[in-house]
Amino acid sequence: MLKTTPLITRILAMGIICSAGTLAMGTSPDSGTRLVRGKPVKQTSTSHTQTQTTDTHSGTAATTSEPAKHSSANKGDSSHWGYEGETGPENWGSFSNCETCDEGMEQSPVDIPAGMPTHEADIEFSYAPMSLTVLNNGHTIQVNSARDCFIDVEGKQYQLLQFHFHALSEHTVNGQHSDMEVHFVHKSDDGEYAVVGVLLNKGEHNTAFAPVFENIPTTAGQSIYAKGVAINTIDLMPVQREYYRYNGSFTTPPCTEGVKWFVMEQPVELSPEQVSAFTALYDNNYRPVQPIGNRKFIAGSSNCECCQARKIISSYNGAGLSE
Ligand SMILES: [Zn+2]
């Protein structure tokens, strides 16, 4: 299902282009050792790896045989973005065509206040086991959907494109980060994005996620195909499916808005070793929480007379219910 055009290939080879029109997000693959937060990461030489770049949120992937060189990162250079210093989140808005990161009024992630009512568990997950290829795209570890998986929300279907990870979590609850967060990125036929976020905390070993953390490529731009492995995507979700819902944006440049967010209330556990497998490469790839502004968290109740009715619950101001 990967669709690649020469233009997209070129864009991805060049690195991040902050164009709200294309939503193209990629990274420059390296051909050798690179620094991740100052840590040297050795290039792997396993035969089952590929050099590949992938869009962080849209799931587009392209294989390139012409690795781009890293240039020094300058403020205003939209070809690179990161999480620290001059390329960090506070400066994303100064990159060309990334103004939304600064000027947007519905940005993500956000803090979820303590006691915020959840939405009923009404997302229908049509997820299924699929083959596994794990990609290191230079910003995160990502798994592109390898088969037809989708969610159904209020009668609308959104196709799973990919899932990827952040550490610490991007969304906070009552100001508290979880150890990690995974984002399941979906897109509808009419181009609307829906992201399901799951908070991940250190705890028990997670067998469902295990194949991912056992096949992490340590070099940006590489992917590992886990031969003979099937990952059961529905098992990656928490058992309880109530969620916090609000309208936001991508959490990476160009911070495009119009994204439906569904953040699961129940966290999922990973072993400390599984968390470490990710944070050894990326332990600071989270955008700080953004102002909620005039937005409301959207709650729903199966007890209402019309179960399709939604109650809009005031979020930060504790101003009670409105419909
Ligand atoms: Zn994300």
Side-chain angles (χ1 to χ4, degrees):
M1 65 175 287
L2 301 178
K3 201 165 82 175
T4 303
T5 67
L7 174 62
I8 292 296
T9 303
R10 184 164 57 84
I11 287 172
L12 291 173
M14 288 169 62
I16 173 64
I17 302 296
C18 287
S19 165
T22 62
L23 286 176
M25 285 175 272
T27 183
S28 303
D30 282 340
S31 56
T33 301
R34 73 185 294 268
L35 292 176
V36 178
R37 281 179 54 80
K39 302 167 188 172
V41 179
K42 290 178 183 174
Q43 182 180 14
T44 58
S45 57
T46 42
S47 59
H48 57 309
T49 59
Q50 277 190 323
T51 298
Q52 192 177 57
T53 58
T54 298
D55 180 331
T56 299
H57 273 107
S58 79
T60 309
T63 300
T64 174
S65 58
E66 197 174 357
K69 289 181 180 176
H70 271 286
S71 60
S72 59
N74 296 314
K75 186 176 180 181
D77 175 5
S78 64
S79 64
H80 286 78
W81 57 270
Y83 289 95
E84 287 184 318
E86 293 188 337
T87 60
E90 65 274 17
N91 292 318
W92 289 350
S94 65
F95 296 166
S96 59
N97 297 319
C98 288
E99 294 82 5
T100 305
C101 298
D102 274 349
E103 299 169 4
M105 302 298 285
E106 297 195 338
Q107 290 289 289
S108 294
V110 297
D111 180 54
I112 300 163
M116 178 60 59
T118 55
H119 197 287
E120 64 180 307
D122 63 354
I123 301 175
E124 281 183 43
F125 287 88
S126 296
Y127 282 6
M130 63 183 190
S131 63
L132 178 67
T133 300
V134 185
L135 169 70
N136 180 338
N137 70 10
H139 296 294
T140 187
I141 298 301
Q142 180 171 310
V143 174
N144 294 326
S145 180
R147 63 174 297 176
D148 212 21
C149 293
F150 57 89
I151 57 172
D152 207 300
V153 184
E154 295 171 345
K156 187 167 182 173
Q157 203 172 90
Y158 300 84
Q159 202 77 20
L160 177 67
L161 301 177
Q162 47 101 338
F163 62 89
H164 63 266
F165 300 88
H166 299 270
L168 302 169
S169 69
E170 296 208 298
H171 290 90
T172 57
V173 178
N174 196 26
Q176 300 297 309
H177 286 277
S178 290
D179 293 309
M180 290 179 60
E181 183 171 340
V182 55
H183 290 158
F184 297 85
V185 182
H186 308 76
K187 189 179 183 182
S188 66
D189 284 344
D190 61 359
E192 189 174 62
Y193 284 89
V195 183
V196 177
V198 180
L199 301 171
L200 304 170
N201 285 322
K202 288 178 186 170
E204 295 293 316
H205 178 79
N206 189 313
T207 54
F209 274 108
V212 176
F213 294 108
E214 290 166 1
N215 289 283
I216 292 180
T218 55
T219 301
Q222 284 196 320
S223 61
I224 293 179
Y225 170 64
K227 190 176 180 182
V229 172
I231 185 163
N232 200 352
T233 46
I234 190 61
D235 290 344
L236 305 179
M237 286 291 143
V239 175
Q240 295 169 20
R241 305 271 168 77
E242 288 81 11
Y243 57 88
Y244 304 106
R245 177 173 174 180
Y246 75 101
N247 296 322
S249 72
F250 287 152
T251 65
T252 53
C255 309
T256 309
E257 296 186 337
V259 176
K260 292 187 183 305
W261 274 95
F262 308 90
V263 181
M264 290 288 160
E265 178 192 31
Q266 186 180 42
V268 164
E269 291 189 358
L270 299 176
S271 70
E273 293 75 21
Q274 289 176 314
V275 171
S276 296
F278 180 79
T279 58
L281 296 173
Y282 299 105
D283 65 351
N284 184 34
N285 68 337
Y286 67 95
R287 187 190 195 193
V289 293
Q290 304 296 303
I292 193 76
N294 293 324
R295 285 174 289 176
K296 313 288 187 188
F297 281 87
I298 303 166
S301 169
S302 56
N303 297 325
C304 59
E305 286 184 41
C306 171
C307 292
Q308 295 302 316
R310 288 180 299 171
K311 293 179 180 178
I312 311 299
I313 294 187
S314 181
S315 54
Y316 271 42
N317 301 325
L321 296 172
S322 61
E323 290 188 72

